[in-house]
Amino acid sequence: MPIATPEVYAEMIDRAKAGSFAYPAINVTSSQTLNAAIKGFADAESDGIVQVSTGGAEYISGPTVKDRVRGAIAFAAFAHEVAKSYDVQIALHTDHAPLDAVEQWVKPLLAASTERVKAGQAPLFGSHMWDGSAVPLDQNLKVAEELLALSADAKTILEIEVGVVGGEEDGVAHEINDKLYTTVEDGLATAEALGVGERGRYLTALTFGNVHGVYKPGNVKLRPEILRDIQQSVGERYGKDKPFDLVFHGGSGSTAEEISAAVDYGVVKMNIDTDTQYAFTRPVVDHMFRNYDGVLKIDGEVGNKKAYDPRAWGKLAEAGLAARVVEAAQQLRSAGQKLR
């Protein structure tokens, strides 16, 4: 199938919310990780979301070039082609754009998609994230209002973050403290500024103790009931059940029970990066250790070309990441839920 159209992406979100499941959103940084993520979704019979961050887009453009716009466009073009080989719907997303990346990354990509839409084509991406967690809420929502209007022109969905995710991702870092919990007042302010769908569709990352990075279960103090309380309060004011389409950031180390509760309260998208990075790298390490004298030319020997051929260990890495995507789809209940 081709990459999900705006209409199909909206249907995906509606189905997830109505059916109490969520899509894994897998960060990728290369053609290999992209292929592996899509293969994982296909194996799980789950539609899904594949996303690229500013750092990922820079890497895709060439590690010494570091052109995030060009890298993102190249990523989207490649994804639009290879996705045709699979029978699941894949939505493309750009992840975590702090304030400086709005002008230098998100807006140029929205402009490119708007031109495509005017020409009768689909947008490059299905959604873009504005990460306003490092600025005051009023500024966060002011930028979001502008981007929501631009997103409507591009037929894309906006993702925002209201609250703070702890830890660090792509240079955006926050301390782990009480600021990690979005309040009901924050939720009401968001709905007042952006509406509840009538001004354009957006996804909302409300924070309930989320932390980016690597943490063992129990080290991150999640409070999913915060999502329930915000949904209830905003829903009562606007006469709408679960008014927000929620996103779960910083899920590494979360328990199955915490993830399940978050999905029940309206989470339709869960970002996964740290765990899939490890799932991709671990088989490569195993291959190198097992084939040490083959991947290296030791003591004047010639090594074993079949061992150091990048495809040899690359296939193992892709299989590892794909398997982790299947696990995520099962945990988020999207497995077997693909659009027919």
Side-chain angles (χ1 to χ4, degrees):
M1 292 181 181
I3 293 297
T5 64
E7 295 76 18
V8 168
Y9 194 7
E11 184 180 358
M12 285 169 57
I13 295 171
D14 289 340
R15 290 183 70 246
K17 198 169 184 180
S20 293
F21 65 88
Y23 299 105
I26 308 300
N27 281 72
V28 301
T29 55
S30 65
S31 61
Q32 281 187 301
T33 50
L34 171 63
N35 279 328
I38 298 176
K39 175 64 163 57
F41 285 120
D43 289 345
E45 296 189 347
S46 167
D47 301 314
I49 300 167
V50 178
Q51 57 192 28
V52 63
S53 65
T54 53
E58 288 178 355
Y59 184 80
I60 290 170
S61 76
T64 60
V65 176
K66 295 186 177 181
D67 185 331
R68 61 181 64 167
V69 174
R70 178 164 292 165
I73 291 173
F75 157 78
F78 185 80
H80 276 268
E81 191 61 35
V82 297
K84 296 175 184 177
S85 299
Y86 298 89
D87 64 349
V88 290
Q89 295 286 348
I90 301 296
L92 300 184
H93 176 75
T94 64
D95 192 26
H96 284 286
L99 188 59
D100 67 334
V102 169
E103 296 293 335
Q104 301 171 10
W105 193 45
V106 175
K107 285 187 177 180
L109 293 176
L110 283 171
S113 284
T114 299
E115 289 304 310
R116 287 171 60 93
V117 168
K118 288 179 180 178
Q121 300 174 294
L124 280 172
F125 288 85
S127 53
H128 298 277
M129 183 189 177
W130 146 234
D131 182 354
S133 60
V135 302
L137 182 61
D138 58 347
Q139 183 182 4
N140 181 349
L141 295 176
K142 184 177 180 180
V143 173
E145 283 187 83
E146 179 188 7
L147 291 177
L148 188 61
L150 293 174
S151 298
D153 292 338
K155 289 191 175 181
T156 62
I157 296 170
L158 177 67
E159 180 181 327
I160 64 170
E161 184 171 310
V162 178
V164 174
V165 175
E168 187 272 336
E169 182 173 52
D170 266 4
V172 179
H174 296 294
E175 294 181 6
I176 300 174
N177 53 34
D178 288 343
K179 293 182 179 180
L180 304 186
Y181 303 96
T182 307
T183 65
V184 168
E185 290 72 26
D186 294 337
L188 290 167
T190 300
E192 183 177 353
L194 305 181
V196 288
E198 70 278 5
R199 302 179 207 172
R201 189 156 204 168
Y202 62 96
L203 305 172
T204 311
L206 301 177
T207 58
F208 51 104
N210 321 53
V211 179
H212 289 132
V214 185
Y215 298 89
K216 293 181 179 179
N219 286 4
V220 177
K221 307 301 181 185
L222 294 181
R223 294 167 53 196
E225 65 275 10
I226 286 176
L227 305 181
R228 176 200 63 204
D229 296 344
I230 293 174
Q231 291 275 46
Q232 287 180 348
S233 295
V234 176
E236 288 171 1
R237 176 168 295 188
Y238 290 89
K240 189 173 182 179
D241 183 45
K242 294 180 183 177
F244 290 127
D245 299 327
L246 298 180
V247 181
F248 187 162
H249 287 191
S252 297
S254 303
T255 66
E257 292 77 16
E258 290 166 338
I259 293 172
S260 180
V263 173
D264 287 339
Y265 299 143
V267 165
V268 296
K269 172 179 181 279
M270 179 174 172
N271 290 9
I272 302 174
D273 186 16
T274 302
D275 288 353
T276 45
Q277 286 179 343
Y278 183 78
F280 185 83
T281 301
R282 181 64 180 83
V284 180
V285 175
D286 181 72
H287 175 82
M288 299 303 173
F289 282 158
R290 290 178 182 274
N291 297 279
Y292 184 80
D293 56 351
V295 297
L296 296 177
K297 297 181 179 182
I298 300 171
D299 297 332
E301 295 298 329
V302 297
N304 181 350
K305 183 180 183 302
K306 291 183 178 180
Y308 60 73
D309 183 335
R311 290 170 295 184
W313 48 265
K315 291 175 183 177
L316 299 173
E318 290 184 38
L321 193 156
R324 184 61 182 84
V325 173
V326 172
E327 180 184 339
Q330 292 170 341
Q331 197 169 40
L332 292 170
R333 311 174 198 155
S334 68
Q337 297 283 355
K338 70 177 183 178
L339 283 165
R340 304 294 176 179

